Amino acid sequence: MQQRVITVVLLIGLCFGLITLGAGVSSWRLPDNEQGYAPKQPIDYSHRLHAGELGIDCMFCHSAADKSRHAGIPSSDVCMKCHKVVTSSFDVLQDEMNKADEEKRKPKQIVSDELRKLYDTLALDETLQPQRGATAKSIPWVRVHNLPDHVHFDHRAHVAAEVTCQKCHGPVESMQRMEQYESLTMGWCVNCHQESTKTGINGKSVDAKTDCAVCHY
Amino acid sequence: MSDVHASLRSPLVTGDKTISDVTRDICAPMDRKPTALWWSAFGLSLTALIVGVAAVWYQIATGIGTWGLNKTVGWAFDITNFVFWVGIGHAGTLISAVLFLFRQKWRTAVNRSAEAMTLFAVMCAGIFPLIHMGRPWLAFWMMPYPNTRGPLWVNFKSPLLWDVFAISTYLAISAVFWYVGLLPDLATIRDRSEPGWRKRITSILCLGWNGSARTWLRYETVYLLLAGLATPLVFSVHTIVSMDFATAVIPGWHTTIFPPYFVAGAIFSGLAMVLTLMIIARKVMQLEDYITMTHIDRMCKLMMSMGCIVGLAYGTEFFMAFYSGNGYEQFVFKNRALGPFAWAYWTMVSCNVLIPQLLWSRKLRSTLPVVFVIVILVNVGMWFERFVIIVTSLHRDFLPSSWASYAPTSIEIATFVGSFGLFFTCFLIFCRIAPVIAIAEIKGAAHLKKRPPAESITEEKAA
Amino acid sequence: MNDSAKKTYWKSFAQRDGCLDANEADPHQAGPAPFSRRHFLEAAGFTLSLATLSGCGRAPEVIALPFVDQPEGMIPGRSQTYASTCAGCPAACGLLVGVRDGRPLKMEGMPEHPLSRGGLCAIGQALPLGLYDSHRLAQPLASGKVTSWEDVDESITRLLGEVKQGNGAVRFVTSTVTSPTLKAQIDAFLAQYNDAKHVTFDAVSCSAILDAHEKTHAARVLPHYKLDQANVIVAFGADFLGTWISPVEFTAAWQTRRAPTKKHPKMSYHVQFEGRLSLTGGNADRRYRLSPVEYGGVLSHLATTLSMLAGEDPPAGRLSESPIAATEIDHLAEKLWDARGASLVLCDSQDVSVQVLVNFINHLLSNYNKTLDIQRPSRQRQGNDADVLNLVEELKAGKVAALFVAGTDLTHNLPDHKAIAAGISKAKLVVSFAERQDDFASLAHFVCPDHHPLESWLDAEPVAGLVSISQPTLQPLGGTRSILESLARWSGDSDSAYDILRASWRENVLPRVEPRPFQAFWDKAVHDGFVNATPIAPTVSEFQSDTVALVDAEPSGDDYTISLYSKVGLTDSRHAHNPWLQELPDPTTKITWDNYVCVSPTAAKELSLSNGDLVRVETDEGSSVELPTLVQPGQHDRVGAIALGYGVRGTDRFADIGPKWLEGRPTVAPGELVGKNVASLIETRDGELQYTVSGVTLTKSGGRRDLASTQEHHSLEIPRNVAPHGAEVRDIIQETTLEEFAQDSHAGTPHAHHHGDTQLWAEDHTKSGHSWGMVIDLNKCTGCSACLIACQSENNVPVVGKDEVRRQREMHWIRLDRYYSGAGDDVSVAHQPMMCHHCDNAPCETVCPVLATVHGDEGLNVQAYNRCVGTRYCANNCPYKVRRFNWFKYEREDALQNLVLNPDVTVRTRGVMEKCSMCVQRIEEGKIAARQRDEPVVDGNIQTACQQSCPAQAIVFGDMNDPESKVHGAFEDPRRYRLLEEFNFRPSVAYLRSVKNREAADGGEHHV
């Protein structure tokens, strides 16, 4: 009996192992190639909702993309521009409004689970008032696109050349959880630089250099 | 052929040997238990090797700063040792391939060990360019391989890249040449061995050698072709090594004489090392009948002529510096002879040019202790030649503000000692597991006694 | 069973993604146990290994923390610049602080500043490293123990009350305070006590100049020297380009008259008399070796000759025999006389009678209010030695009840430490404001650490009428407190430093400028960093000639005279904790990490000393010190020179700096400090602290201490035994004289064979866009080494420690080559900044096997650190030897110092080659910024770090393809030459030939 149990366990293990190995091989990548990296974020923020469905411009939140080498991760006050009012999904809020209307009462404050996390970092209580004695903290977002230290990528140059965000970041507007869409290897960068120099971007000719010193210094 | 052996020449094998004597004598060291002498030599070499491995480990873990190099002298012991070992590795191919093509039959006594020596020396040499890198774990970047870095490839203009190709080709060809030459002897060992692990291993290694005429025919063809293939390498390897310097702009490096000069020097040092090893081996392994004084005499003559070529090269360098009218060039050579490293320069000149002149005397050529001392000094001198070229050219170049000095650290010395450890450990193991003299070849080359029928029967039985 | 296997599956999958909860991973809960744990682990291990195989781990998770509320105007990743004032020394140069993501990183000179004109010295550049120093005190100390500010305030207020009641003496010692606000604050604080005094003590003081002016002009002022107005400059010992009073300002002014052009072949004439070889002396047109004790003698002769020229009676007194030939003195006097009103005589003597004589000469030459301004005097050195000596007496007598010390180390910088320490112990209240436990602070009852200058509000008025602001650029890193606030607390106020400063400006500065609303005025002042205000002129009387007398020069006998000087880059002990400055090679001696006794080659021979031999220096008063020798050509044979400011408490911390390995030696031997404090040799005479000490005996003491020099060979001349005929001297430095230059602007070009100007890879090096190039004017470059620290700060160059420097492995990207030339002991000095030349036919590029160093299409020789495998072939093949190899991983001895790293530049790992990149990060930034604005790159918008900081503006950088650019113009200059041009490396860096203001025939021994 025991022997059979072990055999079954081993077999099942082997199957799963082979399946994962197969999956792994199919997405085989070289060390340091983080293509497809989609870490779990502290708040389940959806680019699909914000950038896709609501059509918010990328630069609304990542406002430094045309001013600094970093596009910038929006500070919490940017979130609060909308989420001071929008505390849950629109349907839920609408339902509550209708219900409150019917019941002739003030609508209750409804806060979704994910947004609760945002308010928690900002030390806001149920009614979005600052909690006493608590200090607001930064949201510890996990970086998705990590270039090595010896690579200096500058958003400004690319924004100025009218390279779309999606060119490097992929179809962000359809991503529920942000992932690294492209391989971001040197060959990938160089390829785009060479192609753009040949064909131009949006009909405008560009001189995208492939000198080492463009990125490495 | 052997019947028309010229009696004017001294015989290649002395001691009135029969063919089976030859086999027995040469295989004897393999059949015996190792002697105390072998064990002590092996212990010494292994200790040196361990010291070297420890030094290399420490240096890779800590940084190249553990060497005595500085911002001005970027190469010293590392490349000196590299060129030194590559040079030693030269004689093997010269003796095996070039002398084979020229039908120099006396080579048969020394070619096997010379080839082995080549192999081990090139191994030692190969270590230095690897460990001298700041980041040796990235050495594979020197190889042109498809990568994800777009147009980034290797620099085909760089002599260091040529080195990679030259040395690896040389190592590969030398290894194949040595192995092919070993085939008939491996079969001999197989046939002589009692059933056991040795028999099993040798029967695999000898690739099914059956001693038939067809086997011999193919063997001879392959050997000849390989010899033809290896001969240009004798010239190409050190030519390319010399270009590490000759293509640089540093006065003292930037000279066109380097390729022939380096090849001559390499052969010179290689012969010296072969002689060193042979003098020891014939004594220790009682092979006086096979490596005779005639061999030593011829090797000495060859070495002396090479020494003269090297001396001519030294002189030419000075003349060219004088004749060029280039102040920087003139300074480097004056600085070599009279500057802070003059002691190294004069060591080099006396060991490589002056002392080998003693070999004009037949009497000295036939006095083994003298020959031994001379070849040791030539080894030393040739090491210093590389040191002089590398360090004295670098340490005082164009701008006096960046002149610097150089002294090796204990780590560098330990690494150098370690390379000798590796070399001798490998060589001593080789002496134990393979015939140091090409049995088959020497049988073909030497004029041997007809074997008595009785003995032949016993030998066949043993087989 | 399925269940358990599934759990196993999730375990491995989760671990692969690195987001597994610790509880889920517990194998104990993995399933029911029909079989042993051992069996289970076997099965689990098998599947796990397969799964691990399938996905090699992700890179470590990186967390990005955005702001909660992003401050307005703050853009992450962008550098912002704030105007401020440098507090490295009282010269108070204009400063632009580059702040990146809340961290001040790069100090730059403020180009609009009227004094420093955009330059900044090495000390100013090194400020941020001093900021990020975990050895700075973070909390106040009471009796050496960490305490709170409340406790300190309470105790000090209580003790001050007792002092006040007992009518005890309160003494407040500071180094020169240029801040009007702080000065007023100290005065107000002291006004509460009956017997209170503010004593100004400079570690290296100019007190005699002020005292001499008190005699001759009845006002204790330091004139504001205007070197840009002077055609003839005669300096006696004053190292005005190196360390004296305000070197950046003086260099900036001096260089304006050091650039002769083809059209105007004119330049100032600079003569230096000195005992040691100073930076200034090395740059002089004519240099005389003169023992400092003989300055008076020469000045007397000069005064007498000039009086005759002026038709006046020479000053009274005996004229001793001149150490300099009479013809030379007549010649010099004539030159000075011809340049009346545009000449300047400077002297660093601490002998008041000598300084009076200097004033007399300047008066005779009608230089006052032309090249010396005493209406708008300098406030950069206010030390009053008489007060200091008085205080020492009071201390010894136990008369001081409360002692406050700020900005200086009273015990370290004065002789007779023990007696002073004993005197201090008698005081009731001893307070130090030091930022670390220095010698005095360790004796103090309370240490109230002041903010670092980059953390605090303050102001400065270096020259009457020029008031500048120092503003904080980050929140204080520790619990330090501004001295302004501390004094306010003890006077019962609770104002912040900002409020105090604003109030002071509203009251004192606003009325001195054109009337306008305060807030607007304040905002503009903070933005600009400085304001021009009506100076408060001192009351100066007419020149009082009756005070002048000739000085009887002491005959210099066989005894040695020791000249105590402050070293460029390490002017006083306050910067001794800055490893950048400790590793900065002295511009003249090229020694790092130590002080030493400089002696002339003749003296060295007499004493049979060679470099590194320990020598015992003994004064006739019995103080002695033992230091290594440095043989210094160009030094007076009877003069030894030792740098002050070494042997600072706590510098034993540098034992840990640099790599540690088998043969590595620590920078500081156990139980020792960096260098030795030689303040004990300072003599007090005539109420002044004397840095020239006569009657010294030097004896070889037997031992050795290796000096870490960055340059082994010091001459353009090849050592005689290896010099080829006809090539004994290398024409690396090209020099000519003004006379020759006036006749032929190409004078000084060597007759060399040129191999044409072939481009080896013309098709690869098209340089169709920009072509970056640099020209360095050797006539302006003084060798001050500010560029070296600017580069170190900008490019994250590591500090390697003394042992590595000794092994010739310093990492500085700029090397300041210094060559002596000339026969005998009278040497001529040449400085040549040497960095990567970015050759078009670069020898380094062809030999790299992995293409780690390649040519960019804008003419830069690019080094891709991450591609480098470290064969060092490029460095071997570099004719200029400017490549630097990372022999080890150079970690900082203090982890906090990592905050000083510039995020724009990769930090190099061990085993890779690095070198000057011509600040390619700045070039890329400038190009992107221009593209962003849709404009072409404007000349001058991109500046390299070295160029920006150069006080002499000797470095020009720009696009050579731009015909309007300054660098293009400089390339056309007839003085332009390229180093090793005959080899056709085609470097992008060129030099402008040095022109010395000498007659062609003058001083054959001076040039080669």
Side-chain angles (χ1 to χ4, degrees), chain B residues 280-314:
Chain B
I280 300 171
R282 78 192 283 271
K283 186 84 197 155
V284 174
M285 303 169 82
Q286 289 121 35
L287 296 173
E288 281 95 339
D289 288 333
Y290 301 92
I291 305 163
T292 61
M293 287 315 287
T294 321
H295 289 111
I296 289 169
D297 187 66
R298 288 182 187 169
M299 295 275 280
C300 281
K301 282 182 190 164
L302 197 53
M303 201 175 73
M304 188 185 67
S305 53
M306 284 298 164
C308 291
I309 296 177
V310 167
L312 177 69
Y314 296 166

CSV table of all heavy atoms in Angstrom, one decimal, chain B residues 280-314:
chain,number,residue,atom,x,y,z
B,280,ILE,N,66.9,14.9,-17.5
B,280,ILE,CA,66.5,14.3,-16.3
B,280,ILE,C,65.8,12.9,-16.5
B,280,ILE,O,66.1,11.9,-15.9
B,280,ILE,CB,65.4,15.2,-15.6
B,280,ILE,CG1,66.0,16.6,-15.3
B,280,ILE,CG2,64.9,14.6,-14.3
B,280,ILE,CD1,65.0,17.6,-14.8
B,281,ALA,N,65.0,12.9,-17.6
B,281,ALA,CA,64.3,11.6,-17.8
B,281,ALA,C,65.2,10.5,-18.2
B,281,ALA,O,65.0,9.4,-17.7
B,281,ALA,CB,63.3,11.9,-19.0
B,282,ARG,N,66.2,10.7,-19.0
B,282,ARG,CA,67.1,9.6,-19.4
B,282,ARG,C,67.8,9.0,-18.2
B,282,ARG,O,68.1,7.8,-18.1
B,282,ARG,CB,68.0,10.0,-20.5
B,282,ARG,CG,69.2,10.8,-20.0
B,282,ARG,CD,70.0,11.4,-21.2
B,282,ARG,NE,70.8,10.4,-21.9
B,282,ARG,CZ,72.1,10.1,-21.6
B,282,ARG,NH1,72.7,10.8,-20.6
B,282,ARG,NH2,72.7,9.3,-22.3
B,283,LYS,N,68.1,9.9,-17.2
B,283,LYS,CA,68.8,9.5,-16.0
B,283,LYS,C,67.9,8.7,-15.1
B,283,LYS,O,68.1,7.6,-14.8
B,283,LYS,CB,69.3,10.8,-15.3
B,283,LYS,CG,70.2,10.5,-14.1
B,283,LYS,CD,71.6,10.3,-14.6
B,283,LYS,CE,72.4,9.6,-13.5
B,283,LYS,NZ,73.6,8.9,-14.1
B,284,VAL,N,66.7,9.4,-14.9
B,284,VAL,CA,65.8,8.8,-13.9
B,284,VAL,C,65.2,7.5,-14.4
B,284,VAL,O,65.0,6.6,-13.7
B,284,VAL,CB,64.7,9.8,-13.5
B,284,VAL,CG1,63.7,9.2,-12.6
B,284,VAL,CG2,65.4,11.0,-12.8
B,285,MET,N,64.8,7.5,-15.7
B,285,MET,CA,64.1,6.4,-16.3
B,285,MET,C,65.0,5.4,-17.0
B,285,MET,O,64.6,4.5,-17.7
B,285,MET,CB,63.0,6.9,-17.2
B,285,MET,CG,62.1,7.8,-16.4
B,285,MET,SD,61.0,8.7,-17.5
B,285,MET,CE,59.8,7.4,-17.7
B,286,GLN,N,66.3,5.6,-16.8
B,286,GLN,CA,67.3,4.7,-17.4
B,286,GLN,C,67.1,4.5,-18.9
B,286,GLN,O,67.0,3.4,-19.4
B,286,GLN,CB,67.3,3.3,-16.7
B,286,GLN,CG,67.9,3.4,-15.3
B,286,GLN,CD,66.9,3.0,-14.2
B,286,GLN,OE1,66.1,2.1,-14.5
B,286,GLN,NE2,66.9,3.6,-13.1
B,287,LEU,N,67.0,5.6,-19.6
B,287,LEU,CA,66.8,5.5,-21.0
B,287,LEU,C,68.1,6.0,-21.8
B,287,LEU,O,68.0,6.5,-22.9
B,287,LEU,CB,65.6,6.4,-21.4
B,287,LEU,CG,64.3,5.9,-20.9
B,287,LEU,CD1,63.2,6.9,-21.2
B,287,LEU,CD2,63.9,4.5,-21.4
B,288,GLU,N,69.2,5.8,-21.1
B,288,GLU,CA,70.5,6.3,-21.7
B,288,GLU,C,70.7,5.7,-23.1
B,288,GLU,O,71.3,6.3,-24.0
B,288,GLU,CB,71.7,6.0,-20.9
B,288,GLU,CG,71.8,7.0,-19.7
B,288,GLU,CD,71.2,6.4,-18.4
B,288,GLU,OE1,70.4,5.5,-18.6
B,288,GLU,OE2,71.6,6.9,-17.3
B,289,ASP,N,70.2,4.5,-23.4
B,289,ASP,CA,70.4,3.9,-24.6
B,289,ASP,C,69.5,4.5,-25.7
B,289,ASP,O,69.8,4.3,-26.9
B,289,ASP,CB,70.1,2.4,-24.5
B,289,ASP,CG,71.2,1.7,-23.7
B,289,ASP,OD1,72.4,2.2,-23.7
B,289,ASP,OD2,70.9,0.7,-23.1
B,290,TYR,N,68.5,5.1,-25.4
B,290,TYR,CA,67.6,5.7,-26.4
B,290,TYR,C,67.8,7.2,-26.6
B,290,TYR,O,67.7,7.7,-27.7
B,290,TYR,CB,66.1,5.4,-26.0
B,290,TYR,CG,65.9,3.9,-25.8
B,290,TYR,CD1,66.1,3.3,-24.6
B,290,TYR,CD2,65.6,3.2,-27.0
B,290,TYR,CE1,65.9,1.9,-24.5
B,290,TYR,CE2,65.5,1.8,-26.8
B,290,TYR,CZ,65.6,1.2,-25.6
B,290,TYR,OH,65.5,-0.2,-25.5
B,291,ILE,N,67.9,7.9,-25.5
B,291,ILE,CA,68.3,9.3,-25.6
B,291,ILE,C,69.8,9.4,-25.4
B,291,ILE,O,70.3,9.5,-24.3
B,291,ILE,CB,67.5,10.1,-24.6
B,291,ILE,CG1,66.0,9.9,-24.7
B,291,ILE,CG2,67.8,11.6,-24.7
B,291,ILE,CD1,65.2,10.3,-23.5
B,292,THR,N,70.5,9.3,-26.5
B,292,THR,CA,71.9,9.1,-26.4
B,292,THR,C,72.6,10.5,-26.4
B,292,THR,O,71.9,11.5,-26.6
B,292,THR,CB,72.4,8.3,-27.6
B,292,THR,OG1,72.1,9.1,-28.8
B,292,THR,CG2,71.8,7.0,-27.7
B,293,MET,N,73.9,10.5,-26.3
B,293,MET,CA,74.7,11.7,-26.3
B,293,MET,C,74.5,12.3,-27.7
B,293,MET,O,74.7,13.6,-27.8
B,293,MET,CB,76.1,11.5,-26.0
B,293,MET,CG,76.4,11.2,-24.5
B,293,MET,SD,75.5,12.3,-23.4
B,293,MET,CE,76.5,13.8,-23.6
B,294,THR,N,74.3,11.5,-28.7
B,294,THR,CA,74.1,12.0,-30.1
B,294,THR,C,72.9,13.0,-30.1
B,294,THR,O,73.0,14.1,-30.6
B,294,THR,CB,73.9,10.9,-31.1
B,294,THR,OG1,74.7,9.8,-30.7
B,294,THR,CG2,74.1,11.3,-32.5
B,295,HIS,N,71.8,12.5,-29.5
B,295,HIS,CA,70.6,13.4,-29.4
B,295,HIS,C,70.9,14.7,-28.7
B,295,HIS,O,70.6,15.8,-29.2
B,295,HIS,CB,69.5,12.7,-28.6
B,295,HIS,CG,68.9,11.5,-29.3
B,295,HIS,ND1,69.1,10.2,-28.9
B,295,HIS,CD2,68.2,11.5,-30.4
B,295,HIS,CE1,68.5,9.4,-29.8
B,295,HIS,NE2,67.9,10.1,-30.7
B,296,ILE,N,71.6,14.6,-27.6
B,296,ILE,CA,71.9,15.8,-26.9
B,296,ILE,C,72.8,16.7,-27.7
B,296,ILE,O,72.6,17.9,-27.7
B,296,ILE,CB,72.5,15.4,-25.5
B,296,ILE,CG1,71.4,14.8,-24.7
B,296,ILE,CG2,73.1,16.6,-24.8
B,296,ILE,CD1,71.8,14.1,-23.4
B,297,ASP,N,73.7,16.1,-28.3
B,297,ASP,CA,74.6,16.9,-29.2
B,297,ASP,C,73.9,17.7,-30.2
B,297,ASP,O,74.1,18.9,-30.4
B,297,ASP,CB,75.7,15.9,-29.8
B,297,ASP,CG,76.7,16.7,-30.5
B,297,ASP,OD1,77.5,17.4,-29.8
B,297,ASP,OD2,76.8,16.6,-31.8
B,298,ARG,N,73.0,17.0,-30.9
B,298,ARG,CA,72.2,17.6,-32.0
B,298,ARG,C,71.3,18.7,-31.4
B,298,ARG,O,71.2,19.8,-32.0
B,298,ARG,CB,71.4,16.6,-32.8
B,298,ARG,CG,72.4,15.8,-33.6
B,298,ARG,CD,71.6,14.8,-34.4
B,298,ARG,NE,72.6,13.9,-35.0
B,298,ARG,CZ,72.3,12.8,-35.7
B,298,ARG,NH1,71.1,12.4,-35.8
B,298,ARG,NH2,73.3,12.1,-36.2
B,299,MET,N,70.7,18.4,-30.3
B,299,MET,CA,69.8,19.4,-29.7
B,299,MET,C,70.6,20.6,-29.3
B,299,MET,O,70.2,21.8,-29.5
B,299,MET,CB,69.1,18.8,-28.5
B,299,MET,CG,68.2,17.7,-28.8
B,299,MET,SD,66.6,18.2,-29.2
B,299,MET,CE,65.9,18.5,-27.6
B,300,CYS,N,71.8,20.4,-28.8
B,300,CYS,CA,72.6,21.5,-28.4
B,300,CYS,C,73.0,22.4,-29.6
B,300,CYS,O,72.9,23.6,-29.5
B,300,CYS,CB,73.9,21.0,-27.8
B,300,CYS,SG,73.7,20.5,-26.1
B,301,LYS,N,73.3,21.7,-30.7
B,301,LYS,CA,73.7,22.5,-31.9
B,301,LYS,C,72.5,23.4,-32.4
B,301,LYS,O,72.6,24.5,-32.7
B,301,LYS,CB,74.1,21.6,-33.0
B,301,LYS,CG,75.5,21.0,-32.8
B,301,LYS,CD,75.8,20.1,-34.0
B,301,LYS,CE,77.1,19.3,-33.9
B,301,LYS,NZ,77.1,18.2,-34.8
B,302,LEU,N,71.4,22.7,-32.4
B,302,LEU,CA,70.2,23.4,-32.8
B,302,LEU,C,69.9,24.6,-31.9
B,302,LEU,O,69.6,25.7,-32.3
B,302,LEU,CB,69.0,22.5,-32.8
B,302,LEU,CG,67.7,22.8,-33.5
B,302,LEU,CD1,68.1,23.2,-35.0
B,302,LEU,CD2,66.7,21.7,-33.5
B,303,MET,N,70.0,24.4,-30.6
B,303,MET,CA,69.8,25.4,-29.6
B,303,MET,C,70.7,26.6,-29.8
B,303,MET,O,70.4,27.7,-29.7
B,303,MET,CB,69.9,24.8,-28.2
B,303,MET,CG,69.2,25.6,-27.2
B,303,MET,SD,69.3,24.7,-25.6
B,303,MET,CE,70.9,25.0,-25.2
B,304,MET,N,72.0,26.2,-30.0
B,304,MET,CA,73.0,27.2,-30.1
B,304,MET,C,72.7,28.1,-31.3
B,304,MET,O,72.8,29.3,-31.2
B,304,MET,CB,74.4,26.6,-30.2
B,304,MET,CG,75.5,27.6,-30.1
B,304,MET,SD,77.0,26.9,-30.4
B,304,MET,CE,76.9,26.4,-32.1
B,305,SER,N,72.3,27.5,-32.4
B,305,SER,CA,72.1,28.3,-33.6
B,305,SER,C,70.9,29.2,-33.4
B,305,SER,O,70.9,30.4,-33.8
B,305,SER,CB,71.8,27.4,-34.8
B,305,SER,OG,70.8,26.5,-34.5
B,306,MET,N,69.9,28.7,-32.7
B,306,MET,CA,68.7,29.5,-32.3
B,306,MET,C,69.2,30.7,-31.4
B,306,MET,O,68.7,31.8,-31.6
B,306,MET,CB,67.7,28.7,-31.6
B,306,MET,CG,66.9,27.8,-32.5
B,306,MET,SD,66.0,28.8,-33.7
B,306,MET,CE,65.6,27.6,-34.9
B,307,GLY,N,70.1,30.4,-30.5
B,307,GLY,CA,70.6,31.4,-29.6
B,307,GLY,C,71.2,32.5,-30.4
B,307,GLY,O,71.1,33.7,-30.1
B,308,CYS,N,71.9,32.1,-31.5
B,308,CYS,CA,72.6,33.2,-32.3
B,308,CYS,C,71.6,34.0,-33.0
B,308,CYS,O,71.7,35.2,-33.1
B,308,CYS,CB,73.5,32.5,-33.3
B,308,CYS,SG,74.9,31.7,-32.4
B,309,ILE,N,70.5,33.4,-33.5
B,309,ILE,CA,69.5,34.1,-34.1
B,309,ILE,C,68.8,35.1,-33.2
B,309,ILE,O,68.6,36.3,-33.5
B,309,ILE,CB,68.4,33.2,-34.7
B,309,ILE,CG1,69.0,32.3,-35.8
B,309,ILE,CG2,67.2,34.0,-35.2
B,309,ILE,CD1,68.0,31.3,-36.4
B,310,VAL,N,68.6,34.7,-31.9
B,310,VAL,CA,68.0,35.5,-30.9
B,310,VAL,C,69.0,36.7,-30.6
B,310,VAL,O,68.5,37.9,-30.6
B,310,VAL,CB,67.7,34.7,-29.7
B,310,VAL,CG1,67.4,35.6,-28.5
B,310,VAL,CG2,66.5,33.8,-29.9
B,311,GLY,N,70.2,36.4,-30.5
B,311,GLY,CA,71.2,37.4,-30.3
B,311,GLY,C,71.2,38.4,-31.4
B,311,GLY,O,71.3,39.7,-31.2
B,312,LEU,N,71.1,37.9,-32.7
B,312,LEU,CA,71.0,38.9,-33.8
B,312,LEU,C,69.8,39.8,-33.7
B,312,LEU,O,69.9,41.0,-33.9
B,312,LEU,CB,70.9,38.0,-35.1
B,312,LEU,CG,70.8,38.9,-36.4
B,312,LEU,CD1,72.1,39.6,-36.7
B,312,LEU,CD2,70.4,38.0,-37.6
B,313,ALA,N,68.7,39.2,-33.2
B,313,ALA,CA,67.5,40.0,-33.1
B,313,ALA,C,67.7,41.1,-32.0
B,313,ALA,O,67.3,42.2,-32.2
B,313,ALA,CB,66.3,39.1,-32.6
B,314,TYR,N,68.4,40.7,-30.9
B,314,TYR,CA,68.6,41.8,-29.9
B,314,TYR,C,69.4,42.9,-30.5
B,314,TYR,O,69.1,44.1,-30.3
B,314,TYR,CB,69.4,41.2,-28.7
B,314,TYR,CG,68.7,40.1,-27.9
B,314,TYR,CD1,69.4,39.3,-27.0
B,314,TYR,CD2,67.3,39.9,-28.0
B,314,TYR,CE1,68.8,38.4,-26.3
B,314,TYR,CE2,66.7,38.9,-27.3
B,314,TYR,CZ,67.5,38.2,-26.4
B,314,TYR,OH,66.8,37.2,-25.7
